[in-house]
Amino acid sequence: MGDYFHDYAVFAALIVVGGAVVGGGLAANRLLRPDRPTREKLTTYECGVDPVGDHWAQSYVRYYVFAYLYVVFAVDAVFLFPWATVFSLPGYGGATLAEMFVFLGFLAAGLLYAGRKGVLSWT
């Protein structure tokens, strides 16, 4: 029973030490940084352009969907590398190859669906 609680004590000690390191870093930053707020520094900065007009602006969702599709397909492409290593092992070749083509079929279907919806057209 002593080993059981010892594991929790080690975990609690790691949490305390980690919190102290993070808190110490933040406190050191607060003490050592220069703090000279001015009116210009407190204004909203938006890509080098001074904000003008209302605080709400409409943006196109198409750009976000395009970026989301890129992330989805880039992350899914990462799964091809482990399959390539398993493909070389004896006894896994045919099944791994079939699974890879099923996976690529799903990716192609998603890309075809996005193309038919007009998401991939930039203008």
Side-chain angles (χ1 to χ4, degrees):
M1 194 64 139
D3 289 337
Y4 180 75
F5 290 115
H6 175 49
D7 293 339
Y8 281 113
V10 170
F11 179 72
L14 286 173
I15 294 295
V16 169
V17 169
V21 167
V22 170
L26 290 173
N29 182 23
R30 179 86 175 185
L31 292 173
L32 297 175
R33 71 177 179 190
D35 189 23
R36 296 183 200 98
T38 62
R39 181 172 172 83
E40 289 83 19
K41 288 182 183 178
L42 296 176
T43 61
T44 303
Y45 180 77
E46 190 171 332
C47 300
V49 179
D50 292 332
V52 178
D54 196 12
H55 64 277
W56 184 82
Q58 186 175 6
S59 61
Y60 292 109
V61 155
R62 182 179 313 170
Y63 303 125
Y64 296 109
V65 171
F66 191 75
Y68 179 70
L69 281 173
Y70 171 76
V71 169
V72 166
F73 285 110
V75 169
D76 287 343
V78 170
F79 289 113
L80 295 176
F81 292 108
W83 273 329
T85 59
V86 171
F87 185 67
S88 65
L89 296 176
Y92 289 105
T96 305
L97 187 63
E99 288 175 3
M100 188 181 304
F101 278 117
V102 168
F103 179 73
L104 291 175
F106 280 119
L107 288 180
L111 192 60
L112 182 66
Y113 175 76
R116 295 244 173 143
K117 284 293 202 176
V119 173
L120 300 177
S121 62
W122 192 253
T123 57

